[in-house]
Amino acid sequence: MAVLEVFDLVKTYNEESNYPVHAVNHVDLTIEKGEFTAIVGPSGSGKTTLLNIMGGLDQPTQGKVIIDGKDISFLGENKLIDFRLHHIGFVFQSYNLIPVLTAKENVSFVMVLQKTPKKERDLRAEALLKEVGLEDRMDSRPAQLSGGQQQRVAIARALASKPAFVLADEPTANLDSKSATNLLDIMHKLNREEHMTFIFSTHDSRVIERARRVVTLVDGKIASDVRQDVS
């Protein structure tokens, strides 16, 4: 079952100039439920632009983005915000945690926006933090956590809304080798055991080695789309 489909996707900057930039150039891509996909390519290849459009953070110049059967390509901003809240999880390299909230409160925050009852969101936040190995740090604020621990909170937060998929933009970029490996172990486990769909934009060879599918972009176009055998 497809959770995400993009058709003839184009994103052009400086359209009216003599030198338009085609950051994404007629891309077609389908992501099935349970995939663990890495989108790779050199700097300037269009990885982050594609990820932002797939996540509804940016709009295409042309083409379609369909998530769970709904075309979000040109939704109004308020409808797009609401759709992202209920369908897409995000993990950024900068963590983006709220400094004044505890780990549990950060994970719960998206559920507060969804108007989930307090008892339900408390139970889910605690279960997710336990899943990522932070059951003993639920009351810690971001400044009291290491970079790897903050990123694990970010993963728990991304999963809190029960999204169709999680978009992870260079999630290991600011982590040391051990923390990056631990983080990937957690995401791989969630993918394997919970069938959670992950889509990465990455330069990290460790992510690429674990991905079951590697999509390579060059100059905004898909240069290759390879499925790998990963244990």
Side-chain angles (χ1 to χ4, degrees):
M1 181 182 72
V3 295
L4 170 66
E5 300 169 280
V6 301
F7 299 104
D8 195 30
L9 206 66
V10 174
K11 181 65 176 181
T12 305
Y13 296 102
N14 303 324
E15 261 190 293
E16 306 304 320
S17 76
N18 293 326
Y19 304 100
V21 177
H22 304 294
V24 177
N25 199 352
H26 299 285
V27 166
D28 294 294
L29 184 65
T30 298
I31 303 292
E32 303 287 340
K33 180 174 174 56
E35 285 198 22
F36 201 76
T37 298
I39 298 174
V40 306
S43 295
S45 62
K47 299 188 303 297
T48 297
T49 302
L50 178 59
L51 213 71
N52 286 344
I53 295 172
M54 292 193 302
L57 298 174
D58 197 0
Q59 287 190 320
T61 303
Q62 73 175 60
K64 289 185 177 182
V65 180
I66 297 174
I67 297 172
D68 275 353
K70 183 174 181 63
D71 187 349
I72 71 160
S73 312
F74 298 101
L75 282 181
E77 186 58 30
N78 288 338
K79 288 184 178 179
L80 206 49
I81 289 169
D82 186 65
F83 188 87
R84 288 196 302 261
L85 177 65
H86 290 89
H87 293 83
I88 307 168
F90 295 94
V91 179
F92 302 98
Q93 59 178 290
S94 55
Y95 319 139
N96 288 1
L97 301 180
I98 300 171
V100 297
L101 300 184
T102 65
K104 181 179 173 181
E105 290 167 341
N106 264 286
V107 175
S108 297
F109 186 68
V110 66
M111 293 183 284
V112 173
L113 297 177
Q114 290 179 320
K115 298 181 172 57
T116 304
K118 186 177 187 307
K119 183 176 181 181
E120 183 181 338
R121 66 177 185 254
D122 282 349
L123 288 171
R124 181 156 176 77
E126 290 167 8
L128 286 168
L129 285 167
K130 184 176 181 181
E131 188 76 37
V132 299
L134 290 177
E135 58 266 38
D136 58 340
R137 304 306 301 269
M138 292 190 189
D139 297 322
S140 299
R141 288 184 169 81
Q144 300 170 306
L145 301 171
S146 69
Q149 289 171 330
Q150 289 184 61
Q151 195 62 299
R152 281 189 268 163
V153 174
I155 290 174
R157 180 185 59 189
L159 296 172
S161 64
K162 301 180 181 178
F165 55 86
V166 173
L167 293 175
D169 188 14
E170 299 283 4
T172 58
N174 294 329
L175 302 180
D176 60 68
S177 182
K178 182 178 179 181
S179 296
T181 299
N182 288 341
L183 188 77
L184 289 170
D185 285 344
I186 289 166
M187 289 191 282
H188 196 251
K189 179 174 182 283
L190 288 165
N191 171 258
R192 188 177 62 250
E193 296 181 2
E194 307 293 333
H195 306 293
M196 175 52 61
T197 307
F198 285 92
I199 307 167
F200 299 85
S201 165
T202 187
H203 287 97
D204 192 333
S205 61
R206 292 165 297 196
V207 179
I208 297 167
E209 287 167 2
R210 290 169 182 252
R212 293 192 181 90
R213 182 181 181 188
V214 179
V215 177
T216 303
L217 288 187
V218 177
D219 295 331
K221 298 180 179 181
I222 294 179
S224 66
D225 186 347
V226 179
R227 296 186 183 274
Q228 305 184 138
D229 286 330
V230 179
S231 59

